[in-house]
Amino acid sequence: MSVADIGAVLPAVLALPISVLAAWWTRRSGDRAAGATLSAAHSQASAALAAVHVQKQNEQELRQQTALADASSGFLRASDELVATVQRLSDVDHDRRSAQLADHGTAVESAFGPLELLASPDLLSRATGLLQHCRRLEKLALDRAVLRSAVAAMEDGWCDSDAEDCDHPEHGAAWVAWCFLVEWPDMEAEKRREERGLLEFCLLESERMSEEDAARVVALADRCPSSWSAMVGGPVRDPLMERFTSLRTEFVDAARSVRPHPSDAPA
């Protein structure tokens, strides 16, 4: 074959590989574009799923925070209502005291339940401390009402001028009975037995309470519970209520320190 013939054939021979190469390149470019599109779609889908997951997590955390806030408020409200009942129980008729107290004690126990499931260890510890004191207040409430109503009655029977130097028998009896009630737990057991009759006499002689009420006070004096001083308190201090206030403050501070998760904050 001459050079002229080769020159004529060569373009035709090269045309086929070039066309195949062009087709291959076009297909490869299309595959790359499709792959890039698919990758972008996959990334967008992953981002969307992640956003949905974060949103659901945030919503769940928000619901938990709301439930915890509601549980804390409910427990605090029930505790406050119990204490308010304990404080005014001495002014309630004796036969109605137990029923009023039981309703509020049950409410505190019920309100504590959700905190056991939702509260952090620190908050739960504060709530438990407050619950235990509420239980103590409920346990002592009836005796406290008997004792404090007697103390208040004796104070009402004092002389308007000088209780210690007053010659009025009812006033003097009220003063002596009040001194007994305040000092009773500090006396020796034998001394209390010796003074029991005088205590009863002064309670009745003061004409500030009925025989039934005086009998309840004397029965309590016979038992002389270890919490007597805390129940009777003093002219200024009320140890049981002071302790409640302290525990309540600790619980409130712990509840307020619970903050939403950072992911809950708006962007």
Side-chain angles (χ1 to χ4, degrees):
M1 180 179 292
S2 65
V3 174
D5 293 335
I6 293 176
V9 174
L10 184 59
V13 174
L14 293 177
L16 180 59
I18 291 174
S19 63
V20 172
L21 180 62
W24 173 81
W25 184 261
T26 301
R27 181 177 179 180
R28 182 180 179 186
S29 299
D31 289 344
R32 285 182 175 179
T37 302
L38 182 61
S39 178
H42 183 271
S43 297
Q44 291 176 355
S46 297
L49 289 175
V52 170
H53 176 73
V54 170
Q55 182 178 0
K56 288 184 177 180
Q57 184 178 10
N58 289 347
E59 291 175 352
Q60 181 179 3
E61 290 175 355
L62 183 58
R63 286 194 297 269
Q64 290 176 344
Q65 292 290 341
T66 301
L68 177 58
D70 291 343
S72 299
S73 297
F75 176 65
L76 191 63
R77 181 168 56 253
S79 301
D80 287 343
E81 290 174 354
L82 171 65
V83 170
T85 299
V86 171
Q87 288 181 307
R88 65 172 177 265
L89 210 59
S90 58
D91 298 326
V92 175
D93 183 78
H94 176 79
D95 295 333
R96 295 192 296 114
R97 290 173 181 172
S98 182
Q100 289 193 15
L101 185 65
D103 291 341
H104 291 293
T106 301
V108 172
E109 295 290 343
S110 299
F112 179 76
L115 288 175
E116 291 185 288
L117 300 176
L118 298 170
S120 64
D122 179 64
L123 180 58
L124 183 59
S125 174
R126 305 298 181 183
T128 300
L130 185 57
L131 173 66
Q132 291 174 344
H133 191 66
C134 285
R135 288 172 176 170
R136 186 185 183 207
L137 285 173
E138 183 183 7
K139 180 179 179 180
L140 299 178
L142 296 179
D143 285 347
R144 180 181 184 273
V146 170
L147 185 55
R148 292 182 72 86
S149 62
V151 169
M154 294 306 103
E155 290 176 350
D156 287 342
W158 289 355
C159 179
D160 294 334
S161 55
D162 191 338
E164 292 181 320
D165 295 333
C166 178
D167 294 331
H168 197 289
E170 288 83 3
H171 294 172
W175 170 255
V176 173
W178 183 89
C179 291
F180 274 140
L181 293 175
V182 173
E183 299 169 359
W184 198 255
D186 299 325
M187 297 181 183
E188 298 290 338
E190 183 177 352
K191 179 67 172 177
R192 289 199 297 266
R193 286 192 294 269
E194 293 174 355
E195 302 294 358
R196 179 187 185 279
L198 181 57
L199 169 62
E200 184 175 13
F201 171 81
C202 290
L203 290 172
L204 294 173
E205 183 69 11
S206 71
E207 298 184 354
R208 302 304 302 177
M209 61 173 45
S210 66
E211 291 185 6
E212 292 80 6
D213 289 336
R216 294 187 187 100
V217 176
V218 173
L220 182 60
D222 288 340
R223 289 193 288 115
C224 190
S226 59
S227 53
W228 182 291
S229 295
M231 290 190 295
V232 74
V236 177
R237 297 194 59 193
D238 189 340
L240 289 176
M241 295 306 158
E242 288 178 2
R243 181 59 177 161
F244 171 78
T245 300
S246 175
L247 292 170
R248 184 187 189 279
T249 300
E250 291 177 4
F251 173 74
V252 170
D253 289 344
R256 286 176 175 171
S257 69
V258 177
R259 293 289 183 265
H261 191 276
S263 59
D264 293 339

